[in-house]
Amino acid sequence: MTKFQERVFSGVQPTGTLHLGNYLGAIKNFVELQNKYNCVYCVVDQHAITVDQDPKELRSNILEVLASFIAAGVDYKKQIIFQQSSVPAHSQLAWVFNCVSRIGWLNRMTQFKDKAGKNKENVSVGLMVYPNLMAADILAYLATHVPVGDDQKQHLELSRDIAQKFNNDFGVEFFPQPEPLIYGSATRVMSLRDGSKKMSKSDPSDFSRILLTDDDDTITAKIKKAKSDSELIPGSKEELQSKPECLNLINILSATTNQSVDQVLSHYAGKEYSSLKKDLADSLVQVISPIRGEINNLLNNQDELNVILAEGTEKAAAIANPIIEEVYKIVGFK
Ligand code: AQP
């Protein structure tokens, strides 16, 4: 039995319009989890500025991510949704964690290596210590469960290491070991143009991703153009492993229709891609078009979104501030 009260925390960066990977890998699960847990969902704007952002676009992206949470079904009246930079506890705890976390640990982070590429000496310090801030986001709420896509698994493991080291260093049992919740058939949605790369906001090709704001024709056109091959759809999961683009389409259809991958595969085995693509496009239109409509409605009333953010900030700070007080006592600041 854990002494910690169960609580869910997760965040999404306001670095652009959200895509199907963000939705199936994370936000769809946010919505399901709110029936079982108290949840804190955050627009992580401080993470966003670890790479260059246009200030005007950043502000509108913050509201768009908030609108996307609500449009997808997050209940802002029952749960907490807010903006990271409005609760100083995140930065306060991040600094403590910068002093707990080890450089060797951060050097092993594959996302940093991927994002820094050959430019390692010239990227921001923030990009390197990003996982320490992420640990602070989660642990400022003593959160026990963290729904994320598969790409965040390594960062979550680092959060657990930081929590453990803090507890050991100070001889306390203060932080829980947050558990990743990575589930569903689309924990890593891949680019529609290259099945070896994850679908991402920063991919230069618009045709690599489906956005939550795409209209029905655009969704259909993107799926039609998705990379495939001239063979028929294979019949076994083993054969699918060598066809990452096909596997991706099957996984997405499985997630959007709530069928198992085996069910989807058995239906399309031996058929042409065109039949799979047509059904997938129809299914995506069904899922995305109501979300798109609601995002647009919400964005037409920005005053209301700002009120929702302000209320969320108050509720989030009420949880995080006493936790920071305790941390400050534990480390000897108070
Ligand atoms: N392709 C994906 N498949 C499944 N889950 C995904 N997530 C992101 N991409 C996929 C999950 O979405 C949540 C929010 O992600 P984020 O915005 O905080 O950061 P990210 O992973 O860096 O997203 P992008 O779209 O790939 O942005 P860029 O291009 O800026 O790097 C997380 O739970 C993430 O796992």
Side-chain angles (χ1 to χ4, degrees):
M1 262 296 273
T2 166
K3 72 168 191 141
F4 298 99
Q5 204 189 328
E6 291 187 319
R7 182 178 283 136
V8 164
F9 177 94
S10 196
V12 174
Q13 297 187 75
T15 41
T17 296
L18 300 191
H19 53 69
L20 188 66
N22 300 130
Y23 177 69
L24 294 178
I27 299 170
K28 184 170 180 259
N29 296 344
F30 294 4
V31 177
E32 281 169 23
L33 291 165
Q34 64 186 356
N35 299 321
K36 190 169 165 212
Y37 296 97
N38 289 321
C39 304
V40 182
Y41 296 130
C42 185
V43 184
V44 288
D45 51 354
Q46 290 174 290
H47 284 282
I49 63 159
T50 55
V51 296
D52 288 344
Q53 299 295 333
D54 174 318
K56 278 203 194 88
E57 267 178 39
L58 181 60
R59 185 65 208 159
S60 74
N61 285 338
I62 289 166
L63 295 182
E64 195 176 309
V65 172
L66 176 75
S68 306
F69 282 175
I70 301 170
V74 175
D75 184 345
Y76 65 90
K77 292 194 178 125
K78 289 209 187 109
Q79 308 296 348
I80 301 178
I81 45 183
F82 74 108
Q83 182 182 344
Q84 182 186 31
S85 62
S86 65
V87 177
H90 293 253
S91 318
Q92 291 171 310
L93 188 56
W95 182 256
V96 175
F97 285 170
N98 282 343
C99 303
V100 171
S101 179
R102 304 289 95 178
I103 288 181
W105 297 356
L106 294 173
N107 273 333
R108 286 197 285 276
M109 295 296 110
T110 52
Q111 182 172 296
F112 176 74
K113 288 185 204 161
D114 291 347
K115 288 206 167 176
K118 294 200 177 91
N119 206 17
K120 210 170 161 215
E121 293 299 311
N122 215 15
V123 292
S124 74
V125 174
L127 191 64
M128 176 142 214
V129 297
Y130 178 117
N132 297 345
L133 176 59
M134 179 166 158
D137 298 335
I138 298 162
L139 293 167
Y141 301 88
L142 303 182
T144 51
H145 295 84
V146 186
V148 281
D150 182 66
D151 58 312
Q152 292 299 326
K153 197 171 171 198
Q154 196 186 30
H155 288 167
L156 242 300
E157 278 158 14
L158 190 92
S159 297
R160 293 166 66 87
D161 290 342
I162 291 174
Q164 183 75 58
K165 186 165 186 300
F166 180 96
N167 287 349
N168 290 346
D169 287 354
F170 295 99
V172 291
E173 210 198 321
F174 186 73
F175 287 121
Q177 289 274 290
E179 268 182 50
L181 295 177
I182 301 172
Y183 66 93
S185 347
T187 55
R188 184 181 282 264
V189 177
M190 308 310 280
S191 155
L192 298 177
R193 308 300 303 155
D194 176 352
S196 68
K197 281 175 25 191
K198 76 162 191 152
M199 185 177 285
S200 136
K201 300 186 204 94
S202 53
D203 193 300
S205 165
D206 274 346
F207 273 81
S208 69
R209 63 188 156 252
I210 304 279
L211 299 177
L212 297 187
T213 52
D214 278 343
D215 62 34
D216 297 353
D217 289 347
T218 306
I219 294 171
T220 305
K222 284 179 176 177
I223 294 297
K224 214 170 175 183
K225 276 205 160 183
K227 190 175 167 197
S228 53
D229 55 63
S230 51
E231 294 172 11
L232 298 176
I233 294 171
S236 73
K237 275 187 177 162
E238 291 68 39
E239 284 172 272
L240 259 191
Q241 297 312 317
S242 59
K243 291 177 175 288
E245 286 84 14
C246 181
L247 175 63
N248 191 35
L249 299 179
I250 300 262
N251 283 342
I252 298 173
L253 189 57
S254 152
T256 54
T257 56
N258 294 320
Q259 297 177 79
S260 70
V261 170
D262 284 327
Q263 278 172 317
V264 176
L265 194 54
S266 68
H267 185 85
Y268 293 97
K271 293 191 178 159
E272 297 197 355
Y273 277 91
S274 54
S275 77
L276 169 63
K277 285 183 168 181
K278 182 179 177 315
D279 293 347
L280 179 56
D282 290 348
S283 167
L284 285 170
V285 164
Q286 267 197 13
V287 170
I288 289 178
S289 97
I291 297 179
R292 177 186 66 233
E294 194 51 26
I295 291 176
N296 291 336
N297 285 343
L298 289 157
L299 287 175
N300 280 332
N301 193 348
Q302 302 214 345
D303 289 346
E304 192 183 329
L305 291 177
N306 284 318
V307 170
I308 293 171
L309 279 181
E311 286 172 359
T313 297
E314 217 173 286
K315 292 195 264 179
I319 301 173
N321 290 349
I323 292 169
I324 292 298
E325 275 294 300
E326 282 303 308
V327 171
Y328 276 15
K329 283 185 198 151
I330 292 169
V331 302
F333 289 168
K334 291 209 166 172

